[in-house]
Amino acid sequence: EIVLTQSPGTLSLSPGERATLSCRASQSVSNNYLAWYQQKPGQAPRLLIYGASSRATGIPDRFSGSGSGTDFTLTISRLEPEDFAVYYCQQYDSSPLYTFGQGTKLEIK
Amino acid sequence: EVQLVESGGGLVQPGGSLRLSCAASGFTFSSNWMHWVRQAPGKGPVWVSRINSDGSSTSYADSVKGRFTISRDNAKNTLYLQMNSLRAEDTAVYYCARKGPGTGTFDPWGQGTLVTVSS
């Protein structure tokens, strides 16, 4: 099983600032089969990024993903008030044993 | 608009059973693989099960194998999860999700249904 470790656990930033979230895999994720999701309180997760760097339909271009192998990053270029949420990475390399990270909470400073 | 609406959750005693349903609309249900993903309170999501478009192939997480059964009725645009021999650790919000882009993603998700296993 591929274990995903996200850091930091909590990130405190202000609107307008840049956010950088990290996801590290316990073994290499082939073909960049890595996705990112956003979850707000009381809501289901929403797909943001797949294939490590491709934005899902309707996702603003302030969200970008990068990385390969075992280290991946989600960057939000300029935080909007609606971006404060919990973010999860997910790997789909070891299909069907898909796994998620434990999440990074992005909170308003 | 793509919609997934789960139902069937509730309180059940350890060892009991529940059947969850997920009603799909706004897309061609019969052409899409579907998944169940669960999330315990305060924890990250955990993949549970998947089924291919015609229901001929299924997969399960080790934690539910032999206890849960995924199925679908393409005529009714509905996905199911039969859960037997429930344990306290099965307590979670259960989401159905359509297979998304990139082969192994989940997009979109339903709003979820809460299953609580407790005596």
Side-chain angles (χ1 to χ4, degrees), chain A residues 12-83:
Chain A
S12 300
L13 293 171
S14 300
E17 291 192 294
R18 180 185 187 91
T20 303
L21 287 66
S22 175
C23 176
R24 178 162 290 177
S26 60
Q27 61 193 76
S28 183
V29 177
S30 303
N31 302 305
N32 286 344
Y33 282 170
L34 193 287
W36 290 92
Y37 297 82
Q38 176 193 68
Q39 186 175 33
K40 296 179 181 180
Q43 296 185 16
R46 177 176 71 144
L47 178 67
L48 300 174
I49 300 287
Y50 65 96
S53 61
S54 298
R55 272 187 301 276
T57 302
I59 301 304
D61 60 7
R62 65 179 180 273
F63 291 91
S64 63
S66 62
S68 64
T70 60
D71 290 296
F72 299 88
T73 300
L74 174 70
T75 301
I76 311 172
S77 58
R78 283 181 57 87
L79 286 166
E80 298 286 342
E82 62 267 28
D83 298 337

Side-chain angles (χ1 to χ4, degrees), chain B residues 66-86:
Chain B
R67 301 188 298 123
F68 290 12
T69 303
I70 190 172
S71 62
R72 64 192 297 160
D73 185 335
N74 284 344
K76 294 183 177 179
N77 288 344
T78 302
L79 176 72
Y80 302 101
L81 186 67
Q82 177 67 44
M83 305 186 296
N84 298 331
S85 303
L86 283 162

Side-chain angles (χ1 to χ4, degrees), chain B residues 1 5 12 37 50 55 58 65 74 80 114:
Chain B
E1 179 195 2
V5 179
V12 61
V37 181
R50 75 174 183 189
T58 59
K65 201 172 293 183
N74 284 344
Y80 302 101
L114 176 62

